[in-house]
Amino acid sequence: MPFVIADDGAQIFYKDWGTGGTPVILSHGWPLNADAWDAAALFLAANGHRVIAHDRRGHGRSSQTWNGNEMDTYADDLACLIDFLDLTDVTLVGHSTGGGEAVHYIGRHGTARVAGLVLVSAVPPLMLGSDDNPGGLPIEVFDGIRAGESADRSQLYRELADGPFFGNNRNNDVSQGVRDAFWLQSMASGHRGAYECIAAFSATDFRPDLAKVDVPTLVIHGSDDQIVPFEVGGKRSAAAIDGATLTVYEHGAHGLPDTERDRLHTDLLAFVDSLTA
């Protein structure tokens, strides 16, 4: 299996699909891994693009490091991958926590190698409510997730998959297979890494990073996202990025790569192709 070695020696697993074309990097959400993007990766590669998807440290096949389970290191790991593969004109696509990773990469490393950015159900600008972020979610929401991760992580992942992640509690037609895949990927994450990542995705302030985004950007968010509410995430991110295009999937849940697969694939391909038109 291919790995890139991060600055602290951690092994970051990645997939590299396709035979040519402009590169696309797909960053996954918590507590999943690169497999969450397999359908999109196959579609984009079949349509002429080179597609890379990696397992964030602490997730999937990457090292389960004791330290480094925070956004600075996640972004630097992404930089190691991009530099190792010597990618240029890359489109960064991030779902949920992966969207935070992508914008934090831009905040720390700039856009010299980046052609475009896509945020899908992404956590920026800042999920956690505070005095200067009054529209955010209360700390109790994230403390509840931490409590579930500590007490019975397997059951937590089952409840997320069967309920709000895919909108299955809203009578969405979400197959047992899709929900089982979420649980399986989640259980492959490291316990400490998954626990610490809750703070990384909820409490990291991405507002300074969004201010540095100077490439074409597409923001996609479901109007019925129960994990990262539209008003907290996509709406604010689109407003913070100069010239960003906002696409709202009406009644869309958080897990758009599965619940709105065909539409998302079409939108991603059209955006990536537009960057070289």
Side-chain angles (χ1 to χ4, degrees):
M1 294 191 295
F3 293 90
V4 62
I5 306 303
D7 292 338
D8 64 352
Q11 293 184 311
I12 306 300
F13 169 82
Y14 68 95
K15 305 178 184 185
D16 190 350
W17 292 1
T19 58
T22 55
V24 180
I25 289 185
L26 303 171
S27 293
H28 64 81
W30 175 91
L32 306 174
N33 58 52
D35 295 354
W37 276 119
D38 272 1
L42 182 63
F43 176 83
L44 292 169
N47 280 276
H49 295 282
R50 180 183 180 186
V51 186
I52 299 99
H54 63 293
D55 291 354
R56 190 171 302 112
R57 69 168 58 214
H59 299 69
R61 291 139 292 201
S62 292
S63 295
Q64 295 186 9
T65 56
W66 189 253
N67 297 314
N69 303 301
E70 31 70 26
M71 277 293 164
D72 286 355
T73 304
Y74 297 159
D76 293 349
D77 290 347
L78 179 56
C80 285
L81 176 62
I82 291 173
D83 292 346
F84 175 74
L85 296 176
D86 194 23
L87 301 177
T88 57
D89 295 323
V90 64
T91 302
L92 301 178
V93 181
H95 174 245
S96 196
T97 300
E101 179 183 83
V103 300
H104 206 51
Y105 166 86
I106 290 175
R108 289 174 68 82
H109 299 278
T111 55
R113 292 180 177 269
V114 180
L117 171 68
V118 184
L119 301 177
V120 181
S121 311
V123 297
L126 174 59
M127 289 191 70
L128 180 62
S130 62
D131 290 343
D132 71 341
N133 189 42
L137 301 175
I139 187 66
E140 289 79 12
V141 171
F142 307 108
D143 285 344
I145 301 173
R146 275 184 278 266
E149 176 70 31
S150 296
D152 189 346
R153 63 196 305 248
S154 180
Q155 184 60 31
L156 170 68
Y157 302 150
R158 283 289 185 200
E159 291 173 358
L160 286 171
D162 291 342
F165 193 90
F166 299 112
N168 199 53
N169 57 336
R170 302 277 210 250
N171 297 315
N172 281 5
D173 184 16
V174 183
S175 73
Q176 187 67 54
V178 166
R179 287 178 278 144
D180 287 349
F182 177 96
W183 178 86
L184 184 65
Q185 290 175 46
S186 299
M187 290 303 296
S189 66
H191 196 6
R192 178 175 170 89
Y195 183 91
E196 292 198 327
C197 188
I198 298 165
F201 73 67
S202 65
T204 302
D205 188 349
F206 299 102
R207 290 174 292 187
D209 301 320
L210 294 175
K212 296 179 181 179
V213 176
D214 59 0
V215 294
T217 300
L218 173 63
V219 178
I220 298 174
H221 217 102
S223 67
D224 193 32
D225 190 326
Q226 300 170 71
I227 305 295
V228 184
F230 171 66
E231 298 285 340
V232 173
K235 183 178 180 179
R236 290 185 173 187
S237 286
I241 300 172
D242 187 33
T245 298
L246 174 62
T247 299
V248 180
Y249 287 14
E250 291 299 329
H251 310 297
H254 185 67
L256 296 179
D258 287 297
T259 62
E260 299 284 350
R261 181 174 293 183
D262 292 342
R263 180 180 179 185
L264 181 62
H265 291 179
T266 298
D267 287 346
L268 289 177
L269 181 62
F271 179 78
V272 174
D273 284 347
S274 74
L275 300 175
T276 58

